[in-house]
Amino acid sequence: MSHALLYPNSEPHLLFSLQFRTPPFLMISSSLLLHRRCFHLMRPPLHISGITSRPQSLFLSSSSHSSLPRRPELRKYERNPSKYWNDFYKRHHNKFFKDRHYLEKDWGRYFSSPSENREAPLGPKIVLEVGCGAGNTLFPLLVAFPEILVHACDFSPHAIELLKENGNLRSDQVNAFVCDVTMDNLCEHIKPASVDVVTMIFMLSAVPPVKMPLVLQNIKKVLKPNGYLLFRDYAMGDFAQEKLAEKNQIISENFYARGDGTCAFYFSNDLLSTLFERNGFKTVEINVYCKQIVNHLRNVVMNRRWIRGTFCNFEHPDIHQQTLADS
């Protein structure tokens, strides 16, 4: 099995528009109907002609692999994920992942400063990229929005070295540092409540599920009240998940180890929204994208699935003031 089938190396095209927002409403485009056999998972139940049903994945449900035997020897990969990702970047350098140019199209409004005339001009947007890797998200973002200031962190020291060696990086615009956000306090590198936008692009899936709340609580310390977190990662039922399940690479529910020791978690809408809402974020939008890729040479059909979410750091002003005082 090629590594390209197990990593987000090819980016999806938007094949349909079916969205959940707060307050909820439904938008369905004509391309949804059996268009290349694409489908979407919605968080609330569907109500059709008086019948209520809970949507399910056409590939896997959250418990589809619950009966598969766990392999205790795979636990070593979740105990020290930074080691295996560091080895990954030593092996592949910055050549593995494609540059991600879709942030401008999908989330451009979050990085742009308001165009209205104001008595006091606003400064540049402050962005934190968690899990920046070698810069495949960072550098396209800087090209699209050259005025932003960026904090970029990763738990792989070698990834940060690759980032700093890139000739396009300006030290006065990008603050790059090594940080394991499951245990290292972001406030040691970033002023509390100073970040406008956080990006987490194929990052949280590499974190053991039990530590995911720690990541969100850490990020919440540096994100401004009503600041936004932009999320993109693997969706449950992805082709890569199926291949890992076939090899019995399951560590725990929806959490798998690849052959190189890196790990991947696959999210459902319900799980993702619940995770964020329990840690003080408000769900603004969740989408699942799917793309069917056909390898005619190998006669393989790959149904790739990605999940995208936008979340707001919803905080009462009194709580915000107490957080600053504590910091």
Side-chain angles (χ1 to χ4, degrees), residues 39-43 55-58 236 268-269 288 305:
F39 55 92
H40 185 91
L41 290 178
M42 290 298 295
R43 190 158 67 105
Q56 298 180 352
S57 166
L58 300 184
M236 192 183 298
S268 68
N269 287 34
V288 170
R305 290 170 56 83

Side-chain angles (χ1 to χ4, degrees), residues 293-308:
I293 303 171
V294 180
N295 186 325
H296 295 284
L297 183 63
R298 301 175 59 189
N299 195 27
V300 175
V301 178
M302 297 172 286
N303 291 291
R304 302 307 312 270
R305 290 170 56 83
W306 296 269
I307 190 167
R308 183 186 75 178

Side-chain angles (χ1 to χ4, degrees), residues 100-112 137 140-141 143-146 230:
R100 296 155 181 156
H101 296 278
Y102 48 74
L103 273 76
E104 179 182 10
K105 178 181 177 182
D106 292 353
W107 290 310
R109 63 188 181 278
Y110 294 104
F111 300 102
S112 301
T137 299
L141 196 61
V143 171
F145 305 97
L230 311 179

Side-chain angles (χ1 to χ4, degrees), residues 8 26 30 40 43 53 109 111 186 256 269 311 315 321:
L26 205 60
S30 59
H40 185 91
R43 190 158 67 105
S53 63
R109 63 188 181 278
F111 300 102
L186 281 169
Y256 300 81
N269 287 34
F311 303 92
E315 229 176 43
Q321 293 299 326

Side-chain angles (χ1 to χ4, degrees), residues 256-321:
Y256 300 81
R258 302 186 183 95
D260 62 1
T262 61
C263 298
F265 188 89
Y266 295 82
F267 295 91
S268 68
N269 287 34
D270 283 341
L271 190 153
L272 186 64
S273 59
T274 300
L275 172 66
F276 274 84
E277 289 169 7
R278 286 181 177 176
N279 288 280
F281 289 85
K282 182 179 180 181
T283 301
V284 177
E285 178 182 20
I286 292 182
N287 307 92
V288 170
Y289 295 87
C290 60
K291 179 182 181 182
Q292 189 175 86
I293 303 171
V294 180
N295 186 325
H296 295 284
L297 183 63
R298 301 175 59 189
N299 195 27
V300 175
V301 178
M302 297 172 286
N303 291 291
R304 302 307 312 270
R305 290 170 56 83
W306 296 269
I307 190 167
R308 183 186 75 178
T310 304
F311 303 92
C312 180
N313 181 20
F314 183 73
E315 229 176 43
H316 191 278
D318 293 340
I319 297 177
H320 169 54
Q321 293 299 326

Side-chain angles (χ1 to χ4, degrees), residues 46-189:
L46 295 179
H47 300 275
I48 304 175
S49 301
I51 300 175
T52 301
S53 63
R54 178 67 62 177
Q56 298 180 352
S57 166
L58 300 184
F59 291 119
L60 302 168
S61 70
S62 60
S63 59
S64 294
H65 295 156
S66 59
S67 61
L68 289 177
R70 283 9 178 207
R71 296 172 56 189
E73 67 271 21
L74 297 180
R75 287 287 182 181
K76 65 180 180 180
Y77 299 124
E78 70 171 344
R79 285 194 290 268
N80 190 15
S82 61
K83 173 189 180 302
Y84 299 99
W85 278 105
N86 206 48
D87 291 343
F88 173 91
Y89 283 106
K90 287 181 179 179
R91 184 165 54 253
H92 297 288
H93 304 286
N94 60 351
K95 306 299 183 183
F96 191 87
F97 299 114
K98 294 180 180 180
D99 283 350
R100 296 155 181 156
H101 296 278
Y102 48 74
L103 273 76
E104 179 182 10
K105 178 181 177 182
D106 292 353
W107 290 310
R109 63 188 181 278
Y110 294 104
F111 300 102
S112 301
S113 297
S115 58
E116 301 94 335
N117 293 325
R118 297 175 180 267
E119 294 181 4
L122 296 176
K125 288 288 183 74
I126 308 297
V127 177
L128 166 62
E129 185 183 0
V130 183
C132 61
N136 298 99
T137 299
L138 173 63
F139 291 113
L141 196 61
L142 290 173
V143 171
F145 305 97
E147 300 302 320
I148 63 174
L149 300 178
V150 181
H151 301 286
C153 66
D154 200 285
F155 62 9
S156 165
H158 195 73
I160 295 298
E161 288 180 16
L162 292 171
L163 187 71
K164 290 182 176 180
E165 290 171 359
N166 192 303
N168 295 318
L169 186 139
R170 288 171 37 202
S171 59
D172 62 336
Q173 186 179 26
V174 178
N175 169 35
F177 56 95
V178 177
C179 181
D180 183 345
V181 290
T182 66
M183 62 179 70
D184 301 332
N185 188 355
L186 281 169
C187 291
E188 294 180 0
H189 302 273

Side-chain angles (χ1 to χ4, degrees), residues 29-42:
S29 70
S30 59
S31 60
L32 172 64
L33 301 177
L34 302 180
H35 183 68
R36 296 179 67 182
R37 286 183 283 176
C38 282
F39 55 92
H40 185 91
L41 290 178
M42 290 298 295

